[in-house]
Amino acid sequence: MSSVDRSRVRELMGEVMTAQGRALPADDTADLREIGFRSLDFSELALRVEDELGDELNFDAPGLRRIATVGDVLDFIEHLQSA
């Protein structure tokens, strides 16, 4: 499977937030709840990554529950692509 690099995933995450009228902070330790990045936003991001990959990402709900920061989102999607 091809991959979408971390910086591109971050860019896509920023696009999702911009579409909601919010900005993605530069700090990867930013708390998702504080910046207003919701589970629906994660779904939108996953769809955008899948579009670029031309393949589906397979993830489970327990994995999503551990995501708390911007960096966690980037790590999680990076991990999914290498699995």
Side-chain angles (χ1 to χ4, degrees):
M1 169 169 37
S2 63
S3 65
V4 177
D5 69 31
R6 188 178 180 91
S7 64
R8 179 64 182 144
V9 173
R10 190 175 220 298
E11 210 174 280
L12 293 170
M13 190 175 182
E15 290 174 11
V16 168
M17 294 209 54
T18 299
Q20 301 293 325
R22 293 172 272 146
L24 179 63
D27 183 4
D28 280 359
T29 63
D31 186 293
L32 296 178
R33 285 175 285 173
E34 290 177 12
I35 65 172
F37 191 83
R38 304 161 297 154
S39 58
L40 187 58
D41 298 325
F42 181 86
S43 297
E44 172 73 27
L45 174 61
L47 288 172
R48 289 178 184 226
V49 172
E50 287 176 346
D51 283 348
E52 295 215 0
L53 287 172
D55 202 358
E56 287 186 26
L57 297 172
N58 294 314
F59 53 91
D60 56 10
L64 290 172
R65 289 189 199 110
R66 291 189 291 269
I67 296 174
T69 67
V70 170
D72 290 344
V73 172
L74 301 175
D75 291 344
F76 186 73
I77 290 183
E78 198 169 53
H79 173 74
L80 289 175
Q81 294 182 75
S82 65

